[in-house]
Amino acid sequence: MIVILATCLDFADFSINAGNILHFWDTPSLIIVLVPTIVFAIGAYSWETYVKTWSIPFGKPENCEQSELVEVNKCLNSMGNMSVVMGIIGTFLGVILLLNYLQQGVNLAPAIGIAVVTLFYGFLFKALFMFASSKVEKYIN
């Protein structure tokens, strides 16, 4: 919630402008970060564990077995780490595109967007997965 409010704040006159949030939306960057993170989680664990990473932290973890909670916690931590790694890789991709566009003399804005926003998404999803993991950890004995 704080991140959303911060992105909507117009620092020129300290007013709230909901249109500013569109500056933080970049579909290629989102794909670069999320798709490999999800594929990695399913590949490293299982489809069942991946589904539980969304149902247990935001549902009722009290009804789950300890082994499930431990597995979901590991999966959440791995997904958070992978999202940061993919954010860094996306930043490298954006810089490579930036250098390529610089040589061609075309608009640099899309490459800069990918370079910066992928890293932002990586850390944003890391924070989300850390939050979910901390909720699961409360129920692990």
Side-chain angles (χ1 to χ4, degrees):
M1 185 67 175
I2 293 172
V3 173
I4 293 172
L5 285 174
T7 58
C8 292
L9 184 64
D10 189 0
F11 290 100
D13 57 357
F14 292 106
S15 62
I16 299 293
N17 182 0
N20 285 352
I21 198 126
L22 294 177
H23 297 295
F24 292 91
W25 182 262
D26 187 53
T27 305
S29 298
L30 200 57
I31 291 170
I32 288 170
V33 173
L34 273 185
V35 171
T37 300
I38 292 169
V39 170
F40 172 77
I42 294 169
Y45 295 93
S46 68
W47 178 253
E48 276 183 40
T49 304
Y50 173 73
V51 170
K52 289 177 186 175
T53 60
W54 297 105
S55 61
I56 289 177
F58 304 109
K60 297 196 178 224
E62 308 92 20
N63 302 334
C64 297
E65 296 178 17
Q66 288 295 306
S67 61
E68 288 178 325
L69 294 174
V70 169
E71 193 72 12
V72 165
N73 191 37
K74 288 180 185 178
C75 185
L76 285 166
N77 286 325
S78 295
M79 287 172 62
N81 293 337
M82 188 63 173
S83 67
V84 171
V85 167
M86 291 313 300
I88 293 168
I89 289 172
T91 299
F92 287 143
L93 290 173
V95 170
I96 291 168
L97 288 172
L98 179 69
L99 295 173
N100 189 29
Y101 289 162
L102 192 64
Q103 181 182 2
Q104 295 174 1
V106 297
N107 186 9
L108 302 177
I112 293 172
I114 290 173
V116 175
V117 175
T118 51
L119 193 58
F120 172 73
Y121 284 158
F123 283 111
L124 187 68
F125 287 116
K126 173 68 175 177
L128 174 72
F129 294 131
M130 282 176 55
F131 169 73
S133 176
S134 68
K135 284 189 76 173
V136 172
E137 282 179 1
K138 290 179 186 177
Y139 296 96
I140 296 175
N141 291 334

